[in-house]
Amino acid sequence: MQEEFRVIYLNTKNAVICERTVSKGTINTTVVTPREVFCSAVRLMAASVILVHNHPSGDPEPSKEDIDLTKAMTEAGKIISIPVLDHCIIGTGRYVSFKEQGKI
């Protein structure tokens, strides 16, 4: 299993317009930048996005890199008026939501 970073693009009523895999990595990392996430968001005229990625280790607790990435994506989204509504990390049998934890 490898780490994958996906983005769910939403319209103004929070209905899904599209879901895309933006990056596939190794067993413990993947690289993604705001450019990959928001290029499609602009093309799709998305009103907002939800970030989702998995942790192949099974432990969905966010790493420092996950927290830093979420902050960068949230700031980039603010600049172009496409908010990041959540960042969910999927593990084995459970997940972590930045929104539920009050981190977004």
Side-chain angles (χ1 to χ4, degrees):
M1 180 183 274
Q2 64 192 60
E3 192 165 312
E4 291 186 14
F5 194 95
R6 297 179 182 210
V7 181
I8 301 169
Y9 301 94
L10 306 169
N11 68 16
T12 56
K13 296 191 183 253
N14 290 338
V16 176
I17 299 170
C18 182
E19 179 270 326
R20 292 198 175 142
T21 300
V22 210
S23 177
K24 288 186 179 184
T26 65
I27 60 169
N28 66 348
T29 190
T30 189
V31 177
V32 66
T33 66
R35 177 180 27 253
E36 287 93 16
V37 170
F38 291 104
C39 179
S40 290
V42 169
R43 280 194 201 133
L44 292 165
M45 296 297 290
S48 57
V49 297
I50 297 173
L51 312 175
V52 182
H53 82 277
N54 67 316
H55 278 178
S57 69
D59 180 5
E61 288 304 314
S63 65
K64 180 184 179 329
E65 292 80 10
D66 293 332
I67 293 165
D68 293 345
L69 175 67
T70 303
K71 287 179 185 175
M73 293 292 179
T74 301
E75 289 304 312
K78 284 179 186 175
I79 291 168
I80 60 172
S81 300
I82 301 176
V84 174
L85 298 184
D86 201 354
H87 183 179
C88 296
I89 303 173
I90 310 297
T92 303
R94 60 190 192 104
Y95 71 95
V96 169
S97 161
F98 280 68
K99 177 77 170 176
E100 287 177 4
Q101 291 187 344
K103 295 180 180 175
I104 287 186

